[in-house]
Amino acid sequence: MHKTGDVILGGLFQIHFFSTDPDLSFTSEPPWPTCHGFDVLGFRQAQTMVFAIDEINRNSELLPNVTLGYSLYDNCLQLGVGFRAALSLVSGQEEQVVLDETCVGTPPVIGIVGDSSSTRCIAISSVLGLYKVPMVSYFATCSCLSDRQKYPSFFRTIPSDAFQVRAVIQILKHFGWTWAGLLISDDDYGLYAARSFQSDLSQSGGGCLAYLEILPWGKNPTEVKRIVDVMKKSTARVVIVFAHESHMINIMEEVVRQNVTGLQWIASEAWTSAAVLQTPQLMPYLGGTLGIAIRRGEIPGLRDFLLQTRPDLQHNNSHENSLVNQFWEHTFQCNFESPLARWVEAEVPLCMGQEGLENVETEFLDISNLRSEYNVYKAVYALAYALDAMLQCVPGRGPFSGHSCGRLQRLEPWQLVYYLEKVNFTTPYGDEVLFDENGDALPIYDIMNWQWLPDGRTEVQNVGEVKKLPFKSEQLTLDEDKIFWNFLSKKPPRSVCSESCPPGTRMAGKKGEPVCCFDCIPCSEGKISNKTDSMECTSCPEDFWSSPEHEHCVPKNIEFLSYNEPLGICFATTSLLGTFICAVVLGIFIHYRQTPIVRANNSELSFQLLLSLKLCFLCSLLFIGRPRPWTCQLRHAAFGISFVLCVSCILVKTMVVLAVFKASTPGGEASLKWFGAVQQRGTVLVLTCVQAAICTAWIVSASPTPHKNTQYYNDKIVYECVVGSTIGFSVLLGYIGLLAVLSFLLAFLARNLPDSFNEAKLITFSMLIFCAVWVAFVPAYVSSPGKYADAVEVFAILASSFGLLVALFGPKCYIILLRPERNTKRAIMGRDKS
């Protein structure tokens, strides 16, 4: 199909399905290549280009004073035919090209719109790229054509398979389908799509392929059955197919035979609109299919232009009219043969050329679903806008060498490529058209859904779109309310290898399986995961612990010997009780201070001993409650000094007892002068000051401090007082022990002295209790964790204090209160025989 003009645009279209002539050439005279099987849609695409050129020629603002012509060829769906057609267009074999002596002039065609096949575009662009002849395809999607090193002059108005793959991945991510099967055709279209799909899917982390199968060409029942068996056994509920109609027909025959239902199909643009698959027999299996479709557009005035298509009975031998005649014969099922031929095939009516095209149902006039035609329309306008931009260049401000501009009379193809790369316009339908650095148009796809209506009809409904915005990633828009799901639940299916790991668990991959197949392992103690599908569990901060569900961190329980717990309450009560008893005993001794039993036992030391015991009972309260710096420093100092004061009094009492009895023997009177009241007080004071000095040195050099101990329990913080210096603590205890042992030995030596009420026996027994308690304290204290160490120390303090109180003052109070007849000097001296 040809039309002259100031500049010519070439076009390659699929007008016929088959070619049988092995030696094809394109000349202005017959023989034409033998092509058959008329393709109405291919013819409509060619007519759309003619319409676009006619519209541009009538547009006074675009390419004014320039008339576009066209030269369109049929590729007959054959690589050889399409390749020869392209070379014929760029070499000008169809025209008498007149060049001046410098061999310059307007080229035969300034650019080619086509081809529809990736394979043919690869072959043609490899040659045209050498001469920088622009080629704008409307249907070739192979991502390999984005390589500007190999195809520097190739452009396209259809998104590449790379974007189609990313569009499919967006759909998978939207519905949470992380486990899918992939079927591809055994050609550039399928193989490059599979390569891109695997690469992009792994980079996006959007899922995994359960299987990848290559669909065979032609009939291969064994291989097709094997592939369907793989699909049937797989747990993947989503099947993605980058293949052609013929492949789908073969595979669906086996799917129907094995009755493989419950699959969600995702169609590539190659078969999304295939009416041959939308049959009542296949819809139970393919109903609900989601497909990627070329962007639908509207071209105002196209239908009226197509209605003007009529055979020219006066020029019946022209190539263009021959195609129109074939279209007419195909549409009206008639022929333009002679009356003689009609006698041979009486059932075929004779074409009159006057039939009403508007009265017949034909795909040719159905412009409600313009997709590839819309891309043809955009391709023609892209070339026109590029040429218009070049012609508007101002000499001296041009982009070429010396700021020159391209001229129509000396046009170089590469100059048009430069302007084609910078094209940016908006179609009447509102779509922006521009090319990126790879020659790919701003990608946009429609999302189609195969809907099986209650009356048995099939409708392919547009349910959304996916597009790439400038400088942004893919944007998916879906109207889920419009989507038909071919499942009983009427909801999207679940297609995952492993269910998502909830918060509180982490994913652990299964050996030898894809990353989408995993086990959910609960987080260990002290670690959490607060989101779904966590790869790792994170450790909680030091003062926090994992919740029971391991979903978040909670503050650790703080443990110390508290006044609010039973143990603390018990100890505090016992301490106050001991203090109260000491006060009562002190009151009794003060009241009966003139009685022999009180006076005989050194009343002053007894009063000091009772006061020190009260301090011993009270110091235990410092071990209860939240440790603070002052309580940590004071508790051990108060404990050490109180007990040394107590034991010092006992030691002095013991020494006084020995001195008194020694003085009663001949020659022993001199011993009493060393144990007067002043010496007794001084001895107690000196012994206590030694302990005070030990405590001061300890606190100054290595003061006890509060400490958060997290070593005992993982889920608790134990507040404790660290002693600071183990040596200081040991010296403190050792000094108390030394005095206690010394008191015990002296009391033990005086136990048999002649006296009815020998206090040495009571001191011996009390020191025995005291030493036993503190000897048992050491291993118990060392082995007790946290607050229980404090509890052991408090228990030792209270036990030893009560032991001293009961052993030393119990018998005396018994006599004072209950046996007053024994509270006489004679009874105490052992002279009252009664």
Side-chain angles (χ1 to χ4, degrees):
M1 299 171 60
H2 304 275
K3 181 182 179 181
T4 58
D6 298 326
V7 290
I8 305 298
L9 298 181
L12 297 174
F13 297 94
Q14 174 185 310
I15 309 300
H16 295 88
F17 288 114
F18 308 106
S19 171
T20 56
D21 191 340
D23 184 20
L24 302 176
S25 62
F26 288 86
T27 61
S28 58
E29 299 296 333
W32 276 80
T34 305
C35 298
H36 57 92
F38 192 79
D39 185 357
V40 176
L41 296 182
F43 182 64
R44 186 172 71 177
Q45 292 167 4
Q47 290 292 81
T48 301
M49 180 171 178
V50 173
F51 167 78
I53 291 175
D54 181 64
E55 189 177 64
I56 292 169
N57 288 335
R58 289 185 283 106
N59 189 339
S60 60
E61 297 181 359
L62 183 61
L63 290 176
N65 304 318
V66 175
T67 301
L68 291 180
Y70 56 81
S71 185
L72 313 182
Y73 285 101
D74 180 12
N75 59 38
C76 296
L77 203 60
Q78 299 295 320
L79 173 60
V81 178
F83 190 76
R84 289 185 177 92
L87 294 184
S88 297
L89 285 170
V90 297
S91 62
Q93 292 183 11
E94 294 290 330
E95 306 286 343
Q96 289 293 328
V97 182
V98 180
L99 304 177
D100 58 23
E101 295 179 356
T102 59
C103 201
V104 296
T106 303
V109 293
I110 63 169
I112 295 177
V113 175
D115 193 306
S116 61
S117 161
S118 294
T119 300
R120 291 191 292 273
C121 283
I122 291 171
I124 296 170
S125 293
S126 298
V127 177
L128 299 189
L130 300 175
Y131 304 98
K132 301 296 191 296
V133 178
M135 181 177 186
V136 186
S137 175
Y138 54 90
F139 213 71
T141 60
C142 181
S143 57
C144 58
L145 288 165
S146 297
D147 188 345
R148 297 312 268 176
Q149 297 295 323
K150 294 182 179 180
Y151 316 106
S153 63
F154 179 81
F155 299 84
R156 53 184 159 193
T157 54
I158 186 173
S160 74
D161 284 337
F163 179 74
Q164 183 178 193
V165 164
R166 292 195 294 271
V168 172
I169 292 175
Q170 287 294 319
I171 295 175
L172 295 179
K173 293 175 70 174
H174 179 82
F175 291 109
W177 296 330
T178 59
W179 191 236
L182 179 62
L183 307 180
I184 62 170
S185 57
D186 190 10
D187 56 8
D188 290 330
Y189 175 73
L191 297 175
Y192 275 99
R195 187 182 305 171
S196 297
F197 194 89
Q198 289 176 303
S199 174
D200 292 351
L201 193 63
S202 62
Q203 291 178 11
S204 69
C208 308
L209 287 180
Y211 53 85
L212 170 60
E213 298 293 340
I214 300 176
L215 299 176
W217 287 96
K219 295 290 184 179
N220 190 338
T222 303
E223 179 65 8
V224 170
K225 182 180 183 300
R226 185 194 67 80
I227 293 173
V228 174
D229 287 339
V230 171
M231 296 166 54
K232 190 174 182 179
K233 294 176 182 178
S234 174
T235 57
R237 296 293 87 200
V238 174
V239 182
I240 306 161
V241 184
F242 281 90
H244 307 283
E245 294 179 22
S246 58
H247 296 97
M248 283 302 299
I249 292 172
N250 293 335
I251 199 74
M252 289 312 298
E253 288 177 353
E254 184 64 24
V255 167
V256 173
R257 193 186 69 81
Q258 295 194 29
N259 193 28
V260 182
T261 59
L263 297 179
Q264 175 63 49
W265 297 82
I266 297 182
S268 67
E269 43 80 26
W271 64 278
T272 293
S273 303
V276 68
L277 297 171
Q278 300 166 19
T279 63
Q281 293 75 25
L282 297 181
M283 284 307 290
Y285 306 92
L286 290 176
T289 295
L290 290 173
I292 303 294
I294 303 168
R295 174 70 166 176
R296 187 190 72 84
E298 294 182 2
I299 306 176
L302 178 61
R303 191 173 193 279
D304 294 335
F305 178 82
L306 296 177
L307 282 171
Q308 298 174 14
T309 304
R310 287 191 176 277
D312 187 350
L313 299 179
Q314 296 179 356
H315 302 85
N316 204 33
N317 293 326
S318 68
H319 293 325
E320 182 169 356
N321 197 60
S322 174
L323 291 177
V324 175
N325 287 353
Q326 292 180 53
F327 162 70
W328 209 260
E329 291 177 344
H330 177 84
T331 302
F332 294 101
Q333 295 297 301
C334 61
N335 62 49
F336 285 96
E337 299 296 333
S338 63
L340 181 61
R342 189 183 172 206
W343 285 103
V344 177
E345 298 184 11
E347 70 277 4
V348 180
L350 183 66
C351 293
M352 306 301 295
Q354 301 299 322
E355 291 83 357
L357 192 58
E358 66 277 5
N359 298 325
V360 66
E361 289 189 11
T362 173
E363 290 181 291
F364 184 72
L365 295 177
D366 182 10
I367 62 170
S368 62
N369 199 30
L370 296 178
R371 299 188 184 276
S372 56
E373 293 81 5
Y374 188 47
N375 285 342
V376 172
Y377 184 79
K378 291 189 289 186
V380 174
Y381 266 88
L383 288 167
Y385 273 102
L387 182 61
D388 183 66
M390 187 189 75
L391 297 180
Q392 291 181 10
C393 177
V394 178
R397 298 182 181 179
F400 307 124
S401 178
H403 300 289
S404 61
C405 297
R407 292 190 297 128
L408 198 61
Q409 293 75 19
R410 300 174 62 88
L411 177 62
E412 296 286 346
W414 61 266
Q415 293 174 328
L416 191 62
V417 170
Y418 172 83
Y419 284 99
L420 201 56
E421 290 173 344
K422 301 184 180 305
V423 157
N424 191 340
F425 65 94
T426 302
T427 68
Y429 191 58
D431 290 330
E432 185 179 11
V433 179
L434 56 90
F435 299 105
D436 64 13
E437 65 277 4
N438 298 319
D440 295 327
L442 194 65
I444 182 170
Y445 275 117
D446 288 336
I447 308 298
M448 311 304 292
N449 179 230
W450 288 22
Q451 300 191 351
W452 194 16
L453 303 180
D455 58 4
R457 292 184 299 108
T458 300
E459 180 180 338
V460 180
Q461 174 76 35
N462 188 331
V463 295
E465 67 178 16
V466 58
K467 60 184 177 181
K468 188 177 187 301
L469 302 177
F471 312 110
K472 295 183 180 179
S473 59
E474 299 81 16
Q475 181 183 29
L476 175 66
T477 304
L478 277 177
D479 187 351
E480 295 191 40
D481 293 336
K482 292 183 178 179
I483 299 178
F484 167 77
W485 300 107
N486 194 25
F487 303 95
L488 293 176
S489 64
K490 301 301 178 184
K491 294 180 180 179
R494 290 281 295 166
S495 186
V496 295
C497 182
S498 299
E499 291 295 335
S500 296
C501 289
T505 62
R506 64 176 178 86
M507 297 192 299
K510 295 181 178 180
K511 188 175 180 180
E513 296 190 29
V515 295
C516 296
C517 302
F518 49 82
D519 293 319
C520 296
I521 307 298
C523 293
S524 57
E525 294 296 324
K527 294 186 176 183
I528 64 160
S529 63
N530 55 9
K531 59 182 181 179
T532 303
D533 290 338
S534 294
M535 297 297 297
E536 296 292 339
C537 297
T538 55
S539 298
C540 290
E542 184 179 6
D543 290 351
F544 290 81
W545 192 247
S546 56
S547 64
E549 301 80 16
H550 296 274
E551 296 179 359
H552 59 277
C553 293
V554 295
K556 287 183 177 179
N557 294 325
I558 297 175
E559 184 179 85
F560 54 87
L561 189 58
S562 169
Y563 285 107
N564 298 323
E565 60 178 304
L567 190 59
I569 294 172
C570 180
F571 282 146
T573 303
T574 305
S575 173
L576 295 176
L577 177 62
T579 305
F580 175 73
I581 294 174
C582 286
V584 171
V585 173
L586 182 60
I588 293 173
F589 267 55
I590 292 174
H591 184 267
Y592 293 97
R593 64 185 178 276
Q594 300 301 326
T595 60
I597 197 167
V598 175
R599 297 181 64 188
N601 286 280
N602 199 331
S603 60
E604 183 177 344
L605 284 178
S606 296
F607 293 155
Q608 290 181 5
L609 182 57
L610 285 169
L611 288 174
S612 65
L613 282 174
K614 288 177 65 176
L615 294 177
C616 290
F617 280 116
L618 290 174
C619 78
S620 64
L621 297 177
L622 294 173
F623 291 84
I624 306 173
R626 189 187 187 105
R628 303 185 187 279
W630 68 270
T631 58
C632 289
Q633 294 173 353
L634 189 59
R635 61 168 58 172
H636 288 105
F639 155 70
I641 293 172
S642 299
F643 269 89
V644 165
L645 178 60
C646 178
V647 176
S648 298
C649 292
I650 296 173
L651 178 61
V652 171
K653 283 173 71 70
T654 307
M655 295 170 66
V656 169
V657 170
L658 286 174
V660 168
F661 280 97
K662 187 175 183 181
S664 63
T665 61
E669 294 86 356
S671 63
L672 279 176
K673 66 180 181 179
W674 298 105
F675 291 96
V678 175
Q679 288 82 0
Q680 294 177 26
R681 298 190 197 103
T683 303
V684 171
L685 180 62
V686 170
L687 294 176
T688 305
C689 286
V690 173
Q691 183 73 306
I694 294 173
C695 292
T696 302
W698 176 19
I699 292 174
V700 171
S701 62
S703 175
T705 55
H707 173 63
K708 294 180 180 180
N709 194 323
T710 57
Q711 304 302 316
Y712 295 139
Y713 308 102
N714 291 325
D715 58 342
K716 294 179 183 178
I717 297 176
V718 177
Y719 269 24
E720 61 182 8
C721 289
V722 291
V723 296
S725 172
T726 306
I727 295 176
F729 187 51
S730 300
V731 171
L732 181 145
L733 290 177
Y735 184 64
I736 297 173
L738 176 64
L739 295 180
V741 171
L742 186 60
S743 297
F744 173 75
L745 291 176
L746 292 177
F748 183 77
L749 293 175
R751 72 188 186 284
N752 293 322
L753 292 177
D755 194 341
S756 176
F757 191 83
N758 188 354
E759 194 175 18
K761 294 180 180 179
L762 302 178
I763 294 174
T764 303
F765 185 65
S766 66
M767 285 296 100
L768 188 61
I769 296 173
F770 185 89
C771 293
V773 169
W774 287 103
V775 168
F777 159 78
V778 174
Y781 181 83
V782 171
S783 61
S784 298
K787 69 178 183 180
Y788 297 105
D790 291 337
V792 167
E793 190 165 359
V794 171
F795 179 81
I797 292 172
L798 295 177
S800 58
S801 298
F802 272 110
L804 293 176
L805 179 63
V806 173
L808 292 175
F809 295 97
K812 298 174 184 178
C813 290
Y814 172 76
I815 292 175
I816 292 171
L817 298 176
L818 301 179
R819 301 294 298 272
E821 68 277 5
R822 294 181 59 182
N823 191 4
T824 62
K825 186 175 180 180
R826 290 178 60 86
I828 293 173
M829 297 297 293
R831 296 172 183 171
D832 189 357
K833 300 302 180 179
S834 60

